[in-house]
mmCIF file with all atom_site columns, all heavy atoms in Angstrom:
data_model
loop_
_atom_site.group_PDB
_atom_site.id
_atom_site.type_symbol
_atom_site.label_atom_id
_atom_site.label_alt_id
_atom_site.label_comp_id
_atom_site.label_asym_id
_atom_site.label_entity_id
_atom_site.label_seq_id
_atom_site.pdbx_PDB_ins_code
_atom_site.Cartn_x
_atom_site.Cartn_y
_atom_site.Cartn_z
_atom_site.occupancy
_atom_site.B_iso_or_equiv
_atom_site.pdbx_formal_charge
_atom_site.auth_seq_id
_atom_site.auth_comp_id
_atom_site.auth_asym_id
_atom_site.auth_atom_id
_atom_site.pdbx_PDB_model_num
ATOM 1   N N   . ARG L 1 1  ? 0.665  -21.458 66.088 1.00 0.00 ? 1075 ARG L N   1
ATOM 2   C CA  . ARG L 1 1  ? -0.105 -22.315 65.237 1.00 0.00 ? 1075 ARG L CA  1
ATOM 3   C C   . ARG L 1 1  ? 0.787  -22.807 64.083 1.00 0.00 ? 1075 ARG L C   1
ATOM 4   O O   . ARG L 1 1  ? 0.496  -23.832 63.445 1.00 0.00 ? 1075 ARG L O   1
ATOM 5   C CB  . ARG L 1 1  ? -1.184 -21.479 64.681 1.00 0.00 ? 1075 ARG L CB  1
ATOM 6   C CG  . ARG L 1 1  ? -2.328 -21.153 65.555 1.00 0.00 ? 1075 ARG L CG  1
ATOM 7   C CD  . ARG L 1 1  ? -3.458 -22.160 65.477 1.00 0.00 ? 1075 ARG L CD  1
ATOM 8   N NE  . ARG L 1 1  ? -4.496 -22.030 66.447 1.00 0.00 ? 1075 ARG L NE  1
ATOM 9   C CZ  . ARG L 1 1  ? -5.694 -21.972 66.133 1.00 0.00 ? 1075 ARG L CZ  1
ATOM 10  N NH1 . ARG L 1 1  ? -6.164 -21.908 64.835 1.00 0.00 ? 1075 ARG L NH1 1
ATOM 11  N NH2 . ARG L 1 1  ? -6.635 -21.970 67.132 1.00 0.00 ? 1075 ARG L NH2 1
ATOM 12  N N   . VAL L 1 2  ? 1.829  -22.030 63.749 1.00 0.00 ? 1076 VAL L N   1
ATOM 13  C CA  . VAL L 1 2  ? 2.735  -22.358 62.669 1.00 0.00 ? 1076 VAL L CA  1
ATOM 14  C C   . VAL L 1 2  ? 4.156  -22.440 63.039 1.00 0.00 ? 1076 VAL L C   1
ATOM 15  O O   . VAL L 1 2  ? 4.605  -21.448 63.859 1.00 0.00 ? 1076 VAL L O   1
ATOM 16  C CB  . VAL L 1 2  ? 2.487  -21.398 61.503 1.00 0.00 ? 1076 VAL L CB  1
ATOM 17  C CG1 . VAL L 1 2  ? 3.469  -21.731 60.281 1.00 0.00 ? 1076 VAL L CG1 1
ATOM 18  C CG2 . VAL L 1 2  ? 1.076  -21.363 60.969 1.00 0.00 ? 1076 VAL L CG2 1
ATOM 19  N N   . TYR L 1 3  ? 4.913  -23.405 62.614 1.00 0.00 ? 1077 TYR L N   1
ATOM 20  C CA  . TYR L 1 3  ? 6.369  -23.529 62.764 1.00 0.00 ? 1077 TYR L CA  1
ATOM 21  C C   . TYR L 1 3  ? 7.031  -23.425 61.405 1.00 0.00 ? 1077 TYR L C   1
ATOM 22  O O   . TYR L 1 3  ? 6.676  -24.170 60.554 1.00 0.00 ? 1077 TYR L O   1
ATOM 23  C CB  . TYR L 1 3  ? 6.823  -24.645 63.590 1.00 0.00 ? 1077 TYR L CB  1
ATOM 24  C CG  . TYR L 1 3  ? 8.253  -24.950 63.567 1.00 0.00 ? 1077 TYR L CG  1
ATOM 25  C CD1 . TYR L 1 3  ? 8.996  -24.188 64.455 1.00 0.00 ? 1077 TYR L CD1 1
ATOM 26  C CD2 . TYR L 1 3  ? 8.940  -25.833 62.673 1.00 0.00 ? 1077 TYR L CD2 1
ATOM 27  C CE1 . TYR L 1 3  ? 10.439 -24.334 64.518 1.00 0.00 ? 1077 TYR L CE1 1
ATOM 28  C CE2 . TYR L 1 3  ? 10.280 -25.893 62.660 1.00 0.00 ? 1077 TYR L CE2 1
ATOM 29  C CZ  . TYR L 1 3  ? 10.977 -25.214 63.593 1.00 0.00 ? 1077 TYR L CZ  1
ATOM 30  O OH  . TYR L 1 3  ? 12.411 -25.345 63.612 1.00 0.00 ? 1077 TYR L OH  1
ATOM 31  N N   . ILE L 1 4  ? 7.873  -22.470 61.161 1.00 0.00 ? 1078 ILE L N   1
ATOM 32  C CA  . ILE L 1 4  ? 8.538  -22.270 59.888 1.00 0.00 ? 1078 ILE L CA  1
ATOM 33  C C   . ILE L 1 4  ? 10.130 -22.576 60.083 1.00 0.00 ? 1078 ILE L C   1
ATOM 34  O O   . ILE L 1 4  ? 10.739 -21.960 60.940 1.00 0.00 ? 1078 ILE L O   1
ATOM 35  C CB  . ILE L 1 4  ? 8.315  -20.833 59.402 1.00 0.00 ? 1078 ILE L CB  1
ATOM 36  C CG1 . ILE L 1 4  ? 6.890  -20.513 59.289 1.00 0.00 ? 1078 ILE L CG1 1
ATOM 37  C CG2 . ILE L 1 4  ? 9.022  -20.728 57.966 1.00 0.00 ? 1078 ILE L CG2 1
ATOM 38  C CD1 . ILE L 1 4  ? 6.572  -19.054 59.120 1.00 0.00 ? 1078 ILE L CD1 1
ATOM 39  N N   . ASP L 1 5  ? 10.603 -23.339 59.189 1.00 0.00 ? 1079 ASP L N   1
ATOM 40  C CA  . ASP L 1 5  ? 12.141 -23.704 59.259 1.00 0.00 ? 1079 ASP L CA  1
ATOM 41  C C   . ASP L 1 5  ? 12.742 -23.739 57.909 1.00 0.00 ? 1079 ASP L C   1
ATOM 42  O O   . ASP L 1 5  ? 12.520 -24.814 57.184 1.00 0.00 ? 1079 ASP L O   1
ATOM 43  C CB  . ASP L 1 5  ? 12.201 -25.051 60.029 1.00 0.00 ? 1079 ASP L CB  1
ATOM 44  C CG  . ASP L 1 5  ? 13.695 -25.342 60.469 1.00 0.00 ? 1079 ASP L CG  1
ATOM 45  O OD1 . ASP L 1 5  ? 14.634 -24.756 59.769 1.00 0.00 ? 1079 ASP L OD1 1
ATOM 46  O OD2 . ASP L 1 5  ? 13.906 -26.071 61.375 1.00 0.00 ? 1079 ASP L OD2 1
ATOM 47  N N   . PHE L 1 6  ? 13.403 -22.734 57.635 1.00 0.00 ? 1080 PHE L N   1
ATOM 48  C CA  . PHE L 1 6  ? 14.168 -22.724 56.358 1.00 0.00 ? 1080 PHE L CA  1
ATOM 49  C C   . PHE L 1 6  ? 15.625 -22.991 56.528 1.00 0.00 ? 1080 PHE L C   1
ATOM 50  O O   . PHE L 1 6  ? 16.442 -22.457 55.779 1.00 0.00 ? 1080 PHE L O   1
ATOM 51  C CB  . PHE L 1 6  ? 13.941 -21.452 55.569 1.00 0.00 ? 1080 PHE L CB  1
ATOM 52  C CG  . PHE L 1 6  ? 12.440 -21.326 55.029 1.00 0.00 ? 1080 PHE L CG  1
ATOM 53  C CD1 . PHE L 1 6  ? 11.534 -20.477 55.489 1.00 0.00 ? 1080 PHE L CD1 1
ATOM 54  C CD2 . PHE L 1 6  ? 12.221 -22.137 53.884 1.00 0.00 ? 1080 PHE L CD2 1
ATOM 55  C CE1 . PHE L 1 6  ? 10.303 -20.360 54.983 1.00 0.00 ? 1080 PHE L CE1 1
ATOM 56  C CE2 . PHE L 1 6  ? 10.892 -22.020 53.336 1.00 0.00 ? 1080 PHE L CE2 1
ATOM 57  C CZ  . PHE L 1 6  ? 9.936  -21.281 53.907 1.00 0.00 ? 1080 PHE L CZ  1
ATOM 58  N N   . GLY L 1 7  ? 16.072 -23.711 57.548 1.00 0.00 ? 1081 GLY L N   1
ATOM 59  C CA  . GLY L 1 7  ? 17.360 -23.964 57.903 1.00 0.00 ? 1081 GLY L CA  1
ATOM 60  C C   . GLY L 1 7  ? 17.995 -25.094 57.049 1.00 0.00 ? 1081 GLY L C   1
ATOM 61  O O   . GLY L 1 7  ? 17.372 -25.545 56.004 1.00 0.00 ? 1081 GLY L O   1
ATOM 62  N N   . GLU L 1 8  ? 19.145 -25.545 57.537 1.00 0.00 ? 1082 GLU L N   1
ATOM 63  C CA  . GLU L 1 8  ? 19.892 -26.565 56.757 1.00 0.00 ? 1082 GLU L CA  1
ATOM 64  C C   . GLU L 1 8  ? 19.325 -27.950 56.871 1.00 0.00 ? 1082 GLU L C   1
ATOM 65  O O   . GLU L 1 8  ? 19.609 -28.785 56.022 1.00 0.00 ? 1082 GLU L O   1
ATOM 66  C CB  . GLU L 1 8  ? 21.370 -26.618 57.207 1.00 0.00 ? 1082 GLU L CB  1
ATOM 67  C CG  . GLU L 1 8  ? 22.124 -25.218 56.924 1.00 0.00 ? 1082 GLU L CG  1
ATOM 68  C CD  . GLU L 1 8  ? 22.226 -24.962 55.512 1.00 0.00 ? 1082 GLU L CD  1
ATOM 69  O OE1 . GLU L 1 8  ? 22.484 -25.847 54.698 1.00 0.00 ? 1082 GLU L OE1 1
ATOM 70  O OE2 . GLU L 1 8  ? 22.125 -23.793 55.173 1.00 0.00 ? 1082 GLU L OE2 1
ATOM 71  N N   . HIS L 1 9  ? 18.629 -28.307 57.846 1.00 0.00 ? 1083 HIS L N   1
ATOM 72  C CA  . HIS L 1 9  ? 18.166 -29.654 58.125 1.00 0.00 ? 1083 HIS L CA  1
ATOM 73  C C   . HIS L 1 9  ? 19.247 -30.775 57.844 1.00 0.00 ? 1083 HIS L C   1
ATOM 74  O O   . HIS L 1 9  ? 19.082 -31.475 56.982 1.00 0.00 ? 1083 HIS L O   1
ATOM 75  C CB  . HIS L 1 9  ? 16.879 -29.912 57.239 1.00 0.00 ? 1083 HIS L CB  1
ATOM 76  C CG  . HIS L 1 9  ? 15.728 -29.057 57.607 1.00 0.00 ? 1083 HIS L CG  1
ATOM 77  N ND1 . HIS L 1 9  ? 14.790 -29.364 58.466 1.00 0.00 ? 1083 HIS L ND1 1
ATOM 78  C CD2 . HIS L 1 9  ? 15.367 -27.850 56.964 1.00 0.00 ? 1083 HIS L CD2 1
ATOM 79  C CE1 . HIS L 1 9  ? 13.890 -28.307 58.498 1.00 0.00 ? 1083 HIS L CE1 1
ATOM 80  N NE2 . HIS L 1 9  ? 14.171 -27.404 57.573 1.00 0.00 ? 1083 HIS L NE2 1
ATOM 81  N N   . PRO L 1 10 ? 20.258 -30.773 58.790 1.00 0.00 ? 1084 PRO L N   1
ATOM 82  C CA  . PRO L 1 10 ? 21.295 -31.732 58.529 1.00 0.00 ? 1084 PRO L CA  1
ATOM 83  C C   . PRO L 1 10 ? 20.870 -33.123 58.788 1.00 0.00 ? 1084 PRO L C   1
ATOM 84  O O   . PRO L 1 10 ? 21.579 -34.102 58.452 1.00 0.00 ? 1084 PRO L O   1
ATOM 85  C CB  . PRO L 1 10 ? 22.349 -31.333 59.595 1.00 0.00 ? 1084 PRO L CB  1
ATOM 86  C CG  . PRO L 1 10 ? 21.513 -30.559 60.658 1.00 0.00 ? 1084 PRO L CG  1
ATOM 87  C CD  . PRO L 1 10 ? 20.337 -29.931 59.950 1.00 0.00 ? 1084 PRO L CD  1
ATOM 88  N N   . GLY L 1 11 ? 19.700 -33.341 59.359 1.00 0.00 ? 1085 GLY L N   1
ATOM 89  C CA  . GLY L 1 11 ? 19.202 -34.650 59.611 1.00 0.00 ? 1085 GLY L CA  1
ATOM 90  C C   . GLY L 1 11 ? 17.762 -34.541 60.028 1.00 0.00 ? 1085 GLY L C   1
ATOM 91  O O   . GLY L 1 11 ? 17.201 -33.462 59.890 1.00 0.00 ? 1085 GLY L O   1
ATOM 92  N N   . LYS L 1 12 ? 17.264 -35.666 60.571 1.00 0.00 ? 1086 LYS L N   1
ATOM 93  C CA  . LYS L 1 12 ? 15.887 -35.612 61.118 1.00 0.00 ? 1086 LYS L CA  1
ATOM 94  C C   . LYS L 1 12 ? 15.815 -34.532 62.217 1.00 0.00 ? 1086 LYS L C   1
ATOM 95  O O   . LYS L 1 12 ? 16.124 -34.909 63.332 1.00 0.00 ? 1086 LYS L O   1
ATOM 96  C CB  . LYS L 1 12 ? 15.409 -36.937 61.621 1.00 0.00 ? 1086 LYS L CB  1
ATOM 97  C CG  . LYS L 1 12 ? 14.446 -37.610 60.914 1.00 0.00 ? 1086 LYS L CG  1
ATOM 98  C CD  . LYS L 1 12 ? 13.913 -38.898 61.562 1.00 0.00 ? 1086 LYS L CD  1
ATOM 99  C CE  . LYS L 1 12 ? 13.646 -39.900 60.482 1.00 0.00 ? 1086 LYS L CE  1
ATOM 100 N NZ  . LYS L 1 12 ? 12.981 -41.101 60.996 1.00 0.00 ? 1086 LYS L NZ  1
ATOM 101 N N   . ASP L 1 13 ? 15.331 -33.407 61.898 1.00 0.00 ? 1087 ASP L N   1
ATOM 102 C CA  . ASP L 1 13 ? 15.327 -32.286 62.849 1.00 0.00 ? 1087 ASP L CA  1
ATOM 103 C C   . ASP L 1 13 ? 14.289 -32.538 64.026 1.00 0.00 ? 1087 ASP L C   1
ATOM 104 O O   . ASP L 1 13 ? 13.199 -32.906 63.694 1.00 0.00 ? 1087 ASP L O   1
ATOM 105 C CB  . ASP L 1 13 ? 15.179 -31.022 62.333 1.00 0.00 ? 1087 ASP L CB  1
ATOM 106 C CG  . ASP L 1 13 ? 16.464 -30.477 61.425 1.00 0.00 ? 1087 ASP L CG  1
ATOM 107 O OD1 . ASP L 1 13 ? 17.491 -31.107 61.700 1.00 0.00 ? 1087 ASP L OD1 1
ATOM 108 O OD2 . ASP L 1 13 ? 16.185 -29.713 60.493 1.00 0.00 ? 1087 ASP L OD2 1
ATOM 109 N N   . ARG L 1 14 ? 14.778 -32.241 65.254 1.00 0.00 ? 1088 ARG L N   1
ATOM 110 C CA  . ARG L 1 14 ? 13.836 -32.408 66.396 1.00 0.00 ? 1088 ARG L CA  1
ATOM 111 C C   . ARG L 1 14 ? 12.733 -31.401 66.468 1.00 0.00 ? 1088 ARG L C   1
ATOM 112 O O   . ARG L 1 14 ? 11.617 -31.778 66.671 1.00 0.00 ? 1088 ARG L O   1
ATOM 113 C CB  . ARG L 1 14 ? 14.763 -32.410 67.611 1.00 0.00 ? 1088 ARG L CB  1
ATOM 114 C CG  . ARG L 1 14 ? 13.936 -32.879 68.874 1.00 0.00 ? 1088 ARG L CG  1
ATOM 115 C CD  . ARG L 1 14 ? 14.882 -32.748 70.073 1.00 0.00 ? 1088 ARG L CD  1
ATOM 116 N NE  . ARG L 1 14 ? 14.595 -31.420 70.728 1.00 0.00 ? 1088 ARG L NE  1
ATOM 117 C CZ  . ARG L 1 14 ? 15.421 -30.679 71.412 1.00 0.00 ? 1088 ARG L CZ  1
ATOM 118 N NH1 . ARG L 1 14 ? 16.658 -31.176 71.501 1.00 0.00 ? 1088 ARG L NH1 1
ATOM 119 N NH2 . ARG L 1 14 ? 15.108 -29.563 71.883 1.00 0.00 ? 1088 ARG L NH2 1
ATOM 120 N N   . ILE L 1 15 ? 13.053 -30.216 66.267 1.00 0.00 ? 1089 ILE L N   1
ATOM 121 C CA  . ILE L 1 15 ? 12.069 -29.118 66.522 1.00 0.00 ? 1089 ILE L CA  1
ATOM 122 C C   . ILE L 1 15 ? 10.873 -29.129 65.458 1.00 0.00 ? 1089 ILE L C   1
ATOM 123 O O   . ILE L 1 15 ? 9.672  -29.086 65.968 1.00 0.00 ? 1089 ILE L O   1
ATOM 124 C CB  . ILE L 1 15 ? 12.626 -27.639 66.490 1.00 0.00 ? 1089 ILE L CB  1
ATOM 125 C CG1 . ILE L 1 15 ? 13.553 -27.622 67.753 1.00 0.00 ? 1089 ILE L CG1 1
ATOM 126 C CG2 . ILE L 1 15 ? 11.520 -26.613 66.739 1.00 0.00 ? 1089 ILE L CG2 1
ATOM 127 C CD1 . ILE L 1 15 ? 14.216 -26.207 67.947 1.00 0.00 ? 1089 ILE L CD1 1
ATOM 128 N N   . PRO L 1 16 ? 11.063 -29.355 64.217 1.00 0.00 ? 1090 PRO L N   1
ATOM 129 C CA  . PRO L 1 16 ? 9.905  -29.502 63.339 1.00 0.00 ? 1090 PRO L CA  1
ATOM 130 C C   . PRO L 1 16 ? 9.032  -30.700 63.804 1.00 0.00 ? 1090 PRO L C   1
ATOM 131 O O   . PRO L 1 16 ? 7.781  -30.544 63.759 1.00 0.00 ? 1090 PRO L O   1
ATOM 132 C CB  . PRO L 1 16 ? 10.402 -29.759 61.934 1.00 0.00 ? 1090 PRO L CB  1
ATOM 133 C CG  . PRO L 1 16 ? 11.857 -29.227 62.038 1.00 0.00 ? 1090 PRO L CG  1
ATOM 134 C CD  . PRO L 1 16 ? 12.351 -29.458 63.434 1.00 0.00 ? 1090 PRO L CD  1
ATOM 135 N N   . ARG L 1 17 ? 9.617  -31.776 64.210 1.00 0.00 ? 1091 ARG L N   1
ATOM 136 C CA  . ARG L 1 17 ? 8.873  -32.943 64.577 1.00 0.00 ? 1091 ARG L CA  1
ATOM 137 C C   . ARG L 1 17 ? 8.151  -32.611 65.931 1.00 0.00 ? 1091 ARG L C   1
ATOM 138 O O   . ARG L 1 17 ? 6.870  -32.945 66.086 1.00 0.00 ? 1091 ARG L O   1
ATOM 139 C CB  . ARG L 1 17 ? 9.735  -34.136 64.868 1.00 0.00 ? 1091 ARG L CB  1
ATOM 140 C CG  . ARG L 1 17 ? 10.440 -34.541 63.556 1.00 0.00 ? 1091 ARG L CG  1
ATOM 141 C CD  . ARG L 1 17 ? 11.823 -35.311 63.780 1.00 0.00 ? 1091 ARG L CD  1
ATOM 142 N NE  . ARG L 1 17 ? 11.672 -36.318 64.559 1.00 0.00 ? 1091 ARG L NE  1
ATOM 143 C CZ  . ARG L 1 17 ? 11.194 -37.534 64.299 1.00 0.00 ? 1091 ARG L CZ  1
ATOM 144 N NH1 . ARG L 1 17 ? 10.768 -37.739 63.107 1.00 0.00 ? 1091 ARG L NH1 1
ATOM 145 N NH2 . ARG L 1 17 ? 11.057 -38.546 65.088 1.00 0.00 ? 1091 ARG L NH2 1
ATOM 146 N N   . GLU L 1 18 ? 8.759  -31.979 66.908 1.00 0.00 ? 1092 GLU L N   1
ATOM 147 C CA  . GLU L 1 18 ? 8.081  -31.625 68.174 1.00 0.00 ? 1092 GLU L CA  1
ATOM 148 C C   . GLU L 1 18 ? 6.873  -30.632 67.969 1.00 0.00 ? 1092 GLU L C   1
ATOM 149 O O   . GLU L 1 18 ? 5.951  -30.649 68.454 1.00 0.00 ? 1092 GLU L O   1
ATOM 150 C CB  . GLU L 1 18 ? 9.014  -30.966 69.114 1.00 0.00 ? 1092 GLU L CB  1
ATOM 151 C CG  . GLU L 1 18 ? 10.048 -32.010 69.689 1.00 0.00 ? 1092 GLU L CG  1
ATOM 152 C CD  . GLU L 1 18 ? 11.161 -31.361 70.508 1.00 0.00 ? 1092 GLU L CD  1
ATOM 153 O OE1 . GLU L 1 18 ? 11.185 -30.127 70.599 1.00 0.00 ? 1092 GLU L OE1 1
ATOM 154 O OE2 . GLU L 1 18 ? 11.913 -32.128 71.106 1.00 0.00 ? 1092 GLU L OE2 1
ATOM 155 N N   . ALA L 1 19 ? 7.155  -29.650 66.970 1.00 0.00 ? 1093 ALA L N   1
ATOM 156 C CA  . ALA L 1 19 ? 6.167  -28.746 66.622 1.00 0.00 ? 1093 ALA L CA  1
ATOM 157 C C   . ALA L 1 19 ? 4.933  -29.415 66.071 1.00 0.00 ? 1093 ALA L C   1
ATOM 158 O O   . ALA L 1 19 ? 3.719  -29.115 66.374 1.00 0.00 ? 1093 ALA L O   1
ATOM 159 C CB  . ALA L 1 19 ? 6.731  -27.686 65.604 1.00 0.00 ? 1093 ALA L CB  1
ATOM 160 N N   . ALA L 1 20 ? 5.157  -30.320 65.079 1.00 0.00 ? 1094 ALA L N   1
ATOM 161 C CA  . ALA L 1 20 ? 4.024  -31.045 64.582 1.00 0.00 ? 1094 ALA L CA  1
ATOM 162 C C   . ALA L 1 20 ? 3.335  -31.845 65.576 1.00 0.00 ? 1094 ALA L C   1
ATOM 163 O O   . ALA L 1 20 ? 2.039  -31.836 65.654 1.00 0.00 ? 1094 ALA L O   1
ATOM 164 C CB  . ALA L 1 20 ? 4.566  -32.060 63.506 1.00 0.00 ? 1094 ALA L CB  1
ATOM 165 N N   . ILE L 1 21 ? 3.910  -32.536 66.448 1.00 0.00 ? 1095 ILE L N   1
ATOM 166 C CA  . ILE L 1 21 ? 3.248  -33.273 67.591 1.00 0.00 ? 1095 ILE L CA  1
ATOM 167 C C   . ILE L 1 21 ? 2.513  -32.369 68.438 1.00 0.00 ? 1095 ILE L C   1
ATOM 168 O O   . ILE L 1 21 ? 1.405  -32.772 69.018 1.00 0.00 ? 1095 ILE L O   1
ATOM 169 C CB  . ILE L 1 21 ? 4.238  -34.177 68.317 1.00 0.00 ? 1095 ILE L CB  1
ATOM 170 C CG1 . ILE L 1 21 ? 4.892  -35.221 67.481 1.00 0.00 ? 1095 ILE L CG1 1
ATOM 171 C CG2 . ILE L 1 21 ? 3.654  -34.711 69.656 1.00 0.00 ? 1095 ILE L CG2 1
ATOM 172 C CD1 . ILE L 1 21 ? 3.873  -36.205 67.027 1.00 0.00 ? 1095 ILE L CD1 1
ATOM 173 N N   . MET L 1 22 ? 2.961  -31.164 68.639 1.00 0.00 ? 1096 MET L N   1
ATOM 174 C CA  . MET L 1 22 ? 2.235  -30.177 69.488 1.00 0.00 ? 1096 MET L CA  1
ATOM 175 C C   . MET L 1 22 ? 1.099  -29.543 68.768 1.00 0.00 ? 1096 MET L C   1
ATOM 176 O O   . MET L 1 22 ? 0.479  -28.587 69.305 1.00 0.00 ? 1096 MET L O   1
ATOM 177 C CB  . MET L 1 22 ? 3.296  -29.103 69.970 1.00 0.00 ? 1096 MET L CB  1
ATOM 178 C CG  . MET L 1 22 ? 4.309  -29.733 70.917 1.00 0.00 ? 1096 MET L CG  1
ATOM 179 S SD  . MET L 1 22 ? 5.583  -28.636 71.480 1.00 0.00 ? 1096 MET L SD  1
ATOM 180 C CE  . MET L 1 22 ? 4.741  -27.725 72.749 1.00 0.00 ? 1096 MET L CE  1
ATOM 181 N N   . GLY L 1 23 ? 0.912  -29.863 67.563 1.00 0.00 ? 1097 GLY L N   1
ATOM 182 C CA  . GLY L 1 23 ? -0.266 -29.420 66.774 1.00 0.00 ? 1097 GLY L CA  1
ATOM 183 C C   . GLY L 1 23 ? -0.087 -28.098 65.957 1.00 0.00 ? 1097 GLY L C   1
ATOM 184 O O   . GLY L 1 23 ? -1.026 -27.469 65.506 1.00 0.00 ? 1097 GLY L O   1
ATOM 185 N N   . LEU L 1 24 ? 1.197  -27.826 65.587 1.00 0.00 ? 1098 LEU L N   1
ATOM 186 C CA  . LEU L 1 24 ? 1.602  -26.700 64.768 1.00 0.00 ? 1098 LEU L CA  1
ATOM 187 C C   . LEU L 1 24 ? 1.586  -27.194 63.341 1.00 0.00 ? 1098 LEU L C   1
ATOM 188 O O   . LEU L 1 24 ? 2.023  -28.323 63.030 1.00 0.00 ? 1098 LEU L O   1
ATOM 189 C CB  . LEU L 1 24 ? 2.818  -26.148 65.056 1.00 0.00 ? 1098 LEU L CB  1
ATOM 190 C CG  . LEU L 1 24 ? 2.874  -25.126 66.302 1.00 0.00 ? 1098 LEU L CG  1
ATOM 191 C CD1 . LEU L 1 24 ? 2.821  -25.853 67.621 1.00 0.00 ? 1098 LEU L CD1 1
ATOM 192 C CD2 . LEU L 1 24 ? 4.151  -24.265 66.391 1.00 0.00 ? 1098 LEU L CD2 1
ATOM 193 N N   . CYS L 1 25 ? 1.245  -26.291 62.424 1.00 0.00 ? 1099 CYS L N   1
ATOM 194 C CA  . CYS L 1 25 ? 1.466  -26.496 61.002 1.00 0.00 ? 1099 CYS L CA  1
ATOM 195 C C   . CYS L 1 25 ? 3.017  -26.292 60.735 1.00 0.00 ? 1099 CYS L C   1
ATOM 196 O O   . CYS L 1 25 ? 3.535  -25.358 61.317 1.00 0.00 ? 1099 CYS L O   1
ATOM 197 C CB  . CYS L 1 25 ? 0.715  -25.508 60.177 1.00 0.00 ? 1099 CYS L CB  1
ATOM 198 S SG  . CYS L 1 25 ? -1.020 -25.759 60.207 1.00 0.00 ? 1099 CYS L SG  1
ATOM 199 N N   . VAL L 1 26 ? 3.635  -27.139 59.988 1.00 0.00 ? 1100 VAL L N   1
ATOM 200 C CA  . VAL L 1 26 ? 4.985  -27.135 59.846 1.00 0.00 ? 1100 VAL L CA  1
ATOM 201 C C   . VAL L 1 26 ? 5.323  -26.716 58.330 1.00 0.00 ? 1100 VAL L C   1
ATOM 202 O O   . VAL L 1 26 ? 4.846  -27.433 57.478 1.00 0.00 ? 1100 VAL L O   1
ATOM 203 C CB  . VAL L 1 26 ? 5.790  -28.471 60.112 1.00 0.00 ? 1100 VAL L CB  1
ATOM 204 C CG1 . VAL L 1 26 ? 7.239  -28.444 59.760 1.00 0.00 ? 1100 VAL L CG1 1
ATOM 205 C CG2 . VAL L 1 26 ? 5.504  -28.788 61.528 1.00 0.00 ? 1100 VAL L CG2 1
ATOM 206 N N   . ILE L 1 27 ? 6.156  -25.683 58.132 1.00 0.00 ? 1101 ILE L N   1
ATOM 207 C CA  . ILE L 1 27 ? 6.448  -25.196 56.748 1.00 0.00 ? 1101 ILE L CA  1
ATOM 208 C C   . ILE L 1 27 ? 7.925  -25.250 56.782 1.00 0.00 ? 1101 ILE L C   1
ATOM 209 O O   . ILE L 1 27 ? 8.588  -24.698 57.698 1.00 0.00 ? 1101 ILE L O   1
ATOM 210 C CB  . ILE L 1 27 ? 5.871  -23.774 56.579 1.00 0.00 ? 1101 ILE L CB  1
ATOM 211 C CG1 . ILE L 1 27 ? 4.447  -23.826 56.528 1.00 0.00 ? 1101 ILE L CG1 1
ATOM 212 C CG2 . ILE L 1 27 ? 6.491  -23.251 55.242 1.00 0.00 ? 1101 ILE L CG2 1
ATOM 213 C CD1 . ILE L 1 27 ? 3.710  -22.402 56.434 1.00 0.00 ? 1101 ILE L CD1 1
ATOM 214 N N   . THR L 1 28 ? 8.540  -25.843 55.767 1.00 0.00 ? 1102 THR L N   1
ATOM 215 C CA  . THR L 1 28 ? 10.040 -25.942 55.707 1.00 0.00 ? 1102 THR L CA  1
ATOM 216 C C   . THR L 1 28 ? 10.473 -25.550 54.318 1.00 0.00 ? 1102 THR L C   1
ATOM 217 O O   . THR L 1 28 ? 9.737  -25.415 53.288 1.00 0.00 ? 1102 THR L O   1
ATOM 218 C CB  . THR L 1 28 ? 10.558 -27.394 55.972 1.00 0.00 ? 1102 THR L CB  1
ATOM 219 O OG1 . THR L 1 28 ? 10.142 -28.119 54.938 1.00 0.00 ? 1102 THR L OG1 1
ATOM 220 C CG2 . THR L 1 28 ? 9.984  -27.953 57.296 1.00 0.00 ? 1102 THR L CG2 1
ATOM 221 N N   . GLY L 1 29 ? 11.746 -25.351 54.262 1.00 0.00 ? 1103 GLY L N   1
ATOM 222 C CA  . GLY L 1 29 ? 12.468 -25.266 53.014 1.00 0.00 ? 1103 GLY L CA  1
ATOM 223 C C   . GLY L 1 29 ? 12.751 -26.692 52.374 1.00 0.00 ? 1103 GLY L C   1
ATOM 224 O O   . GLY L 1 29 ? 12.069 -27.612 52.818 1.00 0.00 ? 1103 GLY L O   1
ATOM 225 N N   . LYS L 1 30 ? 13.586 -26.742 51.460 1.00 0.00 ? 1104 LYS L N   1
ATOM 226 C CA  . LYS L 1 30 ? 13.901 -27.904 50.704 1.00 0.00 ? 1104 LYS L CA  1
ATOM 227 C C   . LYS L 1 30 ? 15.376 -28.268 50.895 1.00 0.00 ? 1104 LYS L C   1
ATOM 228 O O   . LYS L 1 30 ? 15.806 -28.917 49.955 1.00 0.00 ? 1104 LYS L O   1
ATOM 229 C CB  . LYS L 1 30 ? 13.346 -28.106 49.385 1.00 0.00 ? 1104 LYS L CB  1
ATOM 230 C CG  . LYS L 1 30 ? 11.819 -28.131 49.283 1.00 0.00 ? 1104 LYS L CG  1
ATOM 231 C CD  . LYS L 1 30 ? 11.528 -28.239 47.826 1.00 0.00 ? 1104 LYS L CD  1
ATOM 232 C CE  . LYS L 1 30 ? 10.005 -28.490 47.647 1.00 0.00 ? 1104 LYS L CE  1
ATOM 233 N NZ  . LYS L 1 30 ? 9.548  -28.675 46.286 1.00 0.00 ? 1104 LYS L NZ  1
#
């Protein structure tokens, strides 16, 4: 239900986007 990513995010990251499209809440760092 939730995808959490506190990584470096060097660019438009694929997994957060895929997680969102699959219906997960996305929580990230900054």
Side-chain angles (χ1 to χ4, degrees):
R1075 291 263 174 128
V1076 180
Y1077 172 78
I1078 304 164
D1079 191 337
F1080 287 109
E1082 296 296 324
H1083 296 274
K1086 244 184 217 186
D1087 289 336
R1088 190 181 96 214
I1089 296 181
R1091 297 157 53 78
E1092 290 174 355
I1095 293 301
M1096 294 174 77
L1098 280 74
C1099 294
V1100 175
I1101 296 173
T1102 70
K1104 290 187 174 182

